[in-house]
């Protein structure tokens, strides 16, 4: 029971993270019309969250290691609660985007702290794998509740309710975490925070993600895109120089030589670019092409979320039987086939059941890969470095999603020939096919020679 209660809180934290990210999708059309967003600016309700989360994850991971995992968890939960309250009360598009950015900072603290707590409370092996599967299933539950609950709330109470719902959950997580997690203890006086490295990494990654989200709209050769890209390169170069010279770097050099962690980082990037971008395009399909209501759109996401939850449990069991490498390759392959089948089934008037084969394959593959890649990322990493290791893997998760979404949105927007409705459907279908191609890259990575791929025990 002592181990189950902390896991319950950690799973609920992951549910809130997924909920906060996905609940906004269903509300986007109402937010855009109510607050006067220009059509090409509406994606910043999503991208602002992605930019700050991706930029601050390394900082959040190191904060969990140095300031304390429990302290970081509690602070992050309170940031979620406070920013969500402001988001629900605002009547300004600019303020809402800023709120989403602050929520992203909360996510960049909460995600690595949650993952580091799992990886230190539970021993490496079956116990940790089982905890990661429960944690992953809670994330899939966030997909389910985010879409379904978002549809219900928007339909009944309007879009501000999708922000207000996070307030009591954030406060409850902060209270429970402060009482159930192991005490952090005093800070080690021999370890410094590496402020210069933290600032350079945060600024460089944030600008990189912002550039990837902004350039497709503004133009890759526009002055703003060029300046943003150049500053990102300068800051990331400065970060590399600082880390080489630092006695206590933000990212220890031993982690950069950790093959399992580097392989997991590459996989998380491809995972996010393929799997995590699809809800955006499916929301556009259900609401703009099929003209579903907010509630109906939420119901349409129920099946994929439930199947993804099943995939996380199946992935944890499969790892013990056939090994993580085969699970990752099989999950990516199932996702690629599922995305291709889903793209082929997207029509202007076909029944929802026609989408189910692709949805089921996608969900099972997504859940299996989600569990497997975090097992790889945590395997063999010392307890003192679990926070920053989680931050490294989750940074590539966010950057991969930002790259994928930016490129796929640009691809979908390139179909401007013919009637508007037909062009929109053609663009969405092309983006889903492209996501399938990205997942094929994940299959190749998982099957790469063992010296460059994951080498994890099957237990």
């Amino acid at each position: 029971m002592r181990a189950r209660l902390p896991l319950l809180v950690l799973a609920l934290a992951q549910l809130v993270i997924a909920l906060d990210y996905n609940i906004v999708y269903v509300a986007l059309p109402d937010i855009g019309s109510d607050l006067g967003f220009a059509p090409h600016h509406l994606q910043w309700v999503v991208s602002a969250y992605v930019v700050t989360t991706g930029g601050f994850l390394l900082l959040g991971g190191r904060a969990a290691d140095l300031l304390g995992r429990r302290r970081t968890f509690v602070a992050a939960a309170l940031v979620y609660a406070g920013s969500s309250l402001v988001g629900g009360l605002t009547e300004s598009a600019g303020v809402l985007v800023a709120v989403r950015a602050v929520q992203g900072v909360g996510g960049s603290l909460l995600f690595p702290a949650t993952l580091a707590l799992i990886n230190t409370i539970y021993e490496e092996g079956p116990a940790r794998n089982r905890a990661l599967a429960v944690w992953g299933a809670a994330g899939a539950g966030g997909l389910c509740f985010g879409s379904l609950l978002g549809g219900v709330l928007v339909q009944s109470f309007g879009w501000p309710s999708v922000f207000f719902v996070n307030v009591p959950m954030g406060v409850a997580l902060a209270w429970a975490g402060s009482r159930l997690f192991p005490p952090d203890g005093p800070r080690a006086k021999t370890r410094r925070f590496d402020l210069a490295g933290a600032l350079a990494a945060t600024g460089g990654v944030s600008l990189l993600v912002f550039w990837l989200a902004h350039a497709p709209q503004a133009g890759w050769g526009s002055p703003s895109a060029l300046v943003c890209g150049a500053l990102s390169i300068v800051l990331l170069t400065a970060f590399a120089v600082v880390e080489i010279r630092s006695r206590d770097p933000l990212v220890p050099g031993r982690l950069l030589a950790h093959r399992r962690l580097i392989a997991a980082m590459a996989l998380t990037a491809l995972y996010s670019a393929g799997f995590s971008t699809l809800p955006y395009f499916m929301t556009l399909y259900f609401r703009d092409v099929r003209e579903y209501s907010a509630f109906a759109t939420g119901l349409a996401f129920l099946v994929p979320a439930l199947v993804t939850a099943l995939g996380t449990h199946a992935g944890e069991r499969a790892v013990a039987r056939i090994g993580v490498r085969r699970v990752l390759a099989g999950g990516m392959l199932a996702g690629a086939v599922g995305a291709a089948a889903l793209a082929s089934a997207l029509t202007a008037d076909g029944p929802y059941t026609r989408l189910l084969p692709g949805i089921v394959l996608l969900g099972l593959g997504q859940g299996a890969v989600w569990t497997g890649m975090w097992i790889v990322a945590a395997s063999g990493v010392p307890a003192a470095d679990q926070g920053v290791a989680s931050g490294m893997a989750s940074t590539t998760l966010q950057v991969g999603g930002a790259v994928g979404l930016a490129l796929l949105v640009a691809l979908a927007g390139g179909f401007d020939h013919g009637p508007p409705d037909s062009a929109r459907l053609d663009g969405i279908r092309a983006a889903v096919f492209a996501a399938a191609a990205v997942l094929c890259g994940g299959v190749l990575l998982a099957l790469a020679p063992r010296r460059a791929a994951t080498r994890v025990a099957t237990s």
Side-chain angles (χ1 to χ4, degrees), residues 158-188:
W159 67 262
S161 58
V162 303
F163 290 91
F164 289 141
V165 72
N166 282 328
V167 177
M169 290 192 294
V171 173
L173 284 174
W175 179 85
S178 66
R179 283 159 175 76
L180 293 176
F181 297 150
D184 292 319
R187 286 186 56 189

Side-chain angles (χ1 to χ4, degrees), residues 54-55 73 92 133 182 202 240 261 278 319:
F73 181 96
S92 164
T202 299
L261 177 59
L278 291 177
V319 165

Side-chain angles (χ1 to χ4, degrees), residues 19-219:
L19 185 77
D20 191 52
Y21 182 84
N22 289 282
I23 198 171
V24 174
Y25 279 116
V26 177
L28 283 177
D30 299 86
I31 291 173
S33 60
D34 196 13
L35 297 186
F37 274 93
H40 59 285
H41 288 157
L42 186 58
Q43 84 161 37
W44 281 104
V45 178
V46 175
S47 295
Y49 184 89
V50 173
V51 167
T52 53
T53 302
F56 282 79
L57 274 167
L58 281 177
L59 184 61
R62 202 54 171 168
D65 287 335
L66 297 184
L67 303 181
R69 300 175 181 95
R70 187 172 75 173
R71 295 187 189 102
T72 304
F73 181 96
V74 171
L78 293 176
V79 168
Y80 258 116
S83 58
S84 296
L85 179 62
V86 175
L89 294 173
T90 187
E91 297 180 356
S92 164
V95 172
L96 185 66
V97 171
V99 163
R100 290 290 287 166
V102 175
Q103 286 181 322
V105 174
S108 70
L109 295 170
L110 188 61
F111 191 92
T114 301
L115 199 53
L117 283 163
I118 289 178
N119 294 331
T120 51
I121 293 175
Y122 303 95
E123 293 184 3
E124 184 173 342
R128 183 186 294 175
N129 294 352
R130 193 173 303 112
L132 286 169
V134 172
W135 176 75
L143 293 175
C144 170
F145 288 110
S147 302
L148 183 58
L149 181 61
V152 172
L153 291 175
V154 171
Q155 194 95 350
S156 303
F157 305 105
W159 67 262
S161 58
V162 303
F163 290 91
F164 289 141
V165 72
N166 282 328
V167 177
M169 290 192 294
V171 173
L173 284 174
W175 179 85
S178 66
R179 283 159 175 76
L180 293 176
F181 297 150
D184 292 319
R187 286 186 56 189
K189 295 182 179 180
T190 58
R191 301 180 70 185
R192 298 185 302 109
F193 196 76
D194 186 18
L195 181 60
L199 292 176
T202 299
V205 176
S206 296
L207 285 171
L208 174 64
V209 179
F210 176 83
W211 173 62
L212 293 169
H214 171 70
Q217 297 174 1

